[in-house]
Amino acid sequence: MNLYLLLNISGLFVFILVAYLFSRDRKNINWKAVAIMLVVNLFLAWFFTQFSFGRKGVEAVANGFSWMLNAAYVGIGMPFGSWTAPGPGKMDMAVSALLPILFIVPLFDILMYIGVLPFIIKWFGWLISKVTGQPKFESFFSVEMMVLGNTEALAVSNAQVREMSQARVLTIALMSMSCISGSIVGAYVTMVPGELVLTAIPLNIINAIIISTILNPVRVTPEEDYIVEINNEKRPPFFSFLGDSVLGAGKLILIIIAFLIAFVSLAHFIDMLLSLLDRWTHDDIRLKDILGFYMAPFAMLLGLPWGEAKYVGSQMATKIVTNEFVVMIGIKDALKTMPEHMKAVLVTFLISFANFSTVGMIIGTLKGIVDVKTSDFVSKYVPMMLLAGILVSLLSAGFVGLFIW
């Protein structure tokens, strides 16, 4: 058997072991449920990467997002024709990846308003609960956050979260570190292979439950295992709702651009400071090299040789410190010549919001939902939240890496 495949397989066990070592209650981990979910994800990774029907399905969804983006480019081209004239492949990142959010977010919100997405979320959550044996709401939430995003899902389910125990709220916080937002997928597929983006999403859903089950085992009684119905009676008029959605999308774009400019500038400034030391150390050390040193061993466990692991590790660390957009912009051209296995594990790792800023967003959102005592309890486990997000991303990358070489 290939040495690197053995590394990849052993990596999955190491990531589970790390979660076990940091568990709040090792004696009560539901290993049967964990084993079932690991098998489910093994099947999903194989189905989406090796089975022809699965591959075609993922490619079709990715192409569907690309097709929808054409409507966004028409809208952008109305006031800014010169921005879209060269075509999607030659646009600036802000135009090709971020401005389409002004179309995608309202589209998803409309689907929420008319009840399409709530229906999909409800029944996919029910299916996951039946397959994995996990509580209904945790399963429901795992799908909800992958469609809506972490803070949006928390806001929608605030009535349920208020009624939950502190330990279950912590589970929700741990899971929230591993999500994406469906409305952001359109931006991802303009920068990295869409089929890998769409493969990572279902894997993240299951892995978020796996890691939270190990890190924070919680026994849920039958009386506690219910889902509070979302009350739509007081929803605003459609066009008022749509206006709020568009404004929210605009704010999201500004936030992403602000983070990109700030983090890229700060990272470059640190590199400039490090370059001042070059004359004494005679080493060309940069921030990504320092960050990569700590993540490279984990990258090796994804089945990579040391040289590739250092590069992938630095990108992983950069993503955790900044966000996935910073990394996607930096590797967009490099992906074209990158080995298939290396590309698969790196891109899969990137498909989540697991970074330092997400921790603050989740804690801040929870403070507005739960009481002070529960909020303080969750805040004590901020390092565990970050660990959960990293482990979920590593597990998803590890599963995909098993089948792409």
Side-chain angles (χ1 to χ4, degrees):
M1 184 180 289
N2 186 299
L3 172 62
Y4 296 114
L5 177 57
L6 280 174
L7 266 176
N8 200 147
I9 294 171
S10 64
L12 295 174
F13 289 101
V14 171
F15 304 146
I16 295 295
L17 175 62
V18 172
Y20 170 76
L21 293 175
F22 287 92
S23 174
R24 291 183 63 240
D25 188 3
R26 297 173 192 168
K27 293 180 181 179
N28 287 315
I29 296 173
N30 187 345
W31 288 112
K32 179 182 178 181
V34 170
I36 291 172
M37 289 185 281
L38 288 172
V39 171
V40 168
N41 256 2
L42 188 65
F43 169 78
L44 289 175
W46 168 79
F47 180 77
F48 288 129
T49 61
Q50 298 298 302
F51 192 62
S52 59
F53 181 76
R55 289 199 310 271
K56 290 178 181 177
V58 170
E59 289 171 2
V61 175
N63 291 336
F65 271 98
S66 298
W67 174 76
M68 284 196 303
L69 288 175
N70 289 325
Y73 295 136
V74 171
I76 297 167
M78 179 61 67
F80 302 111
S82 61
W83 289 8
T84 57
K90 298 180 182 179
M91 298 178 193
D92 290 335
M93 186 277 294
V95 179
S96 64
L98 296 185
L99 290 185
I101 291 174
L102 288 169
F103 162 68
I104 298 294
V105 168
L107 176 62
F108 268 73
D109 285 344
I110 290 170
L111 293 176
M112 279 295 296
Y113 189 90
I114 63 178
V116 173
L117 285 184
F119 178 83
I120 294 172
I121 291 169
K122 177 180 178 180
W123 290 107
F124 267 95
W126 175 86
L127 178 62
I128 290 174
S129 178
K130 290 297 182 184
V131 172
T132 64
Q134 293 302 291
K136 293 175 184 176
F137 178 72
E138 281 77 346
S139 302
F140 170 87
F141 187 78
S142 67
V143 181
E144 187 179 39
M145 67 180 183
M146 289 296 170
V147 176
L148 304 179
N150 42 29
T151 56
E152 293 86 349
L154 285 170
V156 168
S157 299
N158 67 85
Q160 175 98 34
V161 175
R162 286 195 191 97
E163 296 184 10
M164 293 167 62
S165 66
Q166 292 180 353
R168 289 186 74 187
V169 174
L170 175 59
T171 294
I172 296 306
L174 296 175
M175 293 172 63
S176 297
M177 289 298 300
S178 307
C179 82
I180 63 163
S181 168
S183 58
I184 218 78
V185 172
Y188 287 165
V189 299
T190 65
M191 295 182 284
V192 296
E195 61 273 16
L196 291 175
V197 175
L198 274 299
T199 298
I201 293 172
L203 295 181
N204 283 352
I205 290 174
I206 304 297
N207 284 331
I209 302 175
I210 292 173
I211 294 301
S212 62
T213 298
I214 299 174
L215 286 174
N216 185 45
V218 180
R219 298 290 183 181
V220 178
T221 65
E223 294 75 21
E224 296 174 315
D225 193 15
Y226 62 89
I227 296 177
V228 174
E229 291 293 329
I230 299 171
N231 185 7
N232 290 322
E233 294 179 1
K234 296 181 179 180
R235 63 183 182 181
F238 177 76
F239 286 103
S240 174
F241 163 85
L242 185 59
D244 290 340
S245 176
V246 173
L247 289 174
K251 291 177 183 178
L252 177 61
I253 292 172
L254 292 176
I255 289 169
I256 293 173
I257 290 176
F259 270 97
L260 283 174
I261 293 173
F263 281 124
V264 171
S265 300
L266 287 170
H268 185 69
F269 181 66
I270 292 172
D271 282 343
M272 290 168 61
L273 294 177
L274 289 172
S275 68
L276 298 177
L277 303 176
D278 289 351
R279 66 183 69 178
W280 292 287
T281 62
H282 303 291
D283 292 320
D284 188 20
I285 298 176
R286 295 295 177 261
L287 179 61
K288 65 179 182 179
D289 301 316
I290 298 172
L291 296 175
F293 176 80
Y294 293 100
M295 287 298 294
F298 295 99
M300 278 193 72
L301 290 171
L302 295 173
L304 296 172
W306 180 247
E308 293 180 3
K310 287 194 296 183
Y311 177 82
V312 170
S314 69
Q315 304 303 327
M316 289 177 170
T318 301
K319 185 250 185 181
I320 294 167
V321 175
T322 58
N323 60 41
E324 69 279 8
F325 280 98
V326 173
V327 180
M328 288 180 183
I329 295 167
I331 66 171
K332 187 175 179 180
D333 293 331
L335 287 174
K336 299 173 184 176
T337 57
M338 200 175 285
E340 287 301 310
H341 180 76
M342 181 182 178
K343 176 168 64 177
V345 297
L346 175 54
V347 171
T348 304
F349 182 90
L350 295 178
I351 309 304
S352 79
F353 291 161
N355 56 55
F356 285 109
S357 60
T358 298
V359 174
M361 292 171 62
I362 295 169
I363 295 296
T365 302
L366 284 174
K367 282 183 179 294
I369 297 175
V370 300
D371 57 54
V372 175
K373 188 176 179 181
T374 301
S375 176
D376 290 344
F377 173 81
V378 174
S379 297
K380 291 192 301 184
Y381 292 97
V382 162
M384 183 181 285
M385 290 171 58
L386 191 60
L387 176 65
I390 294 171
L391 288 176
V392 169
S393 294
L394 286 171
L395 269 181
S396 295
F399 277 116
V400 170
L402 289 176
F403 300 102
I404 299 181
W405 294 90

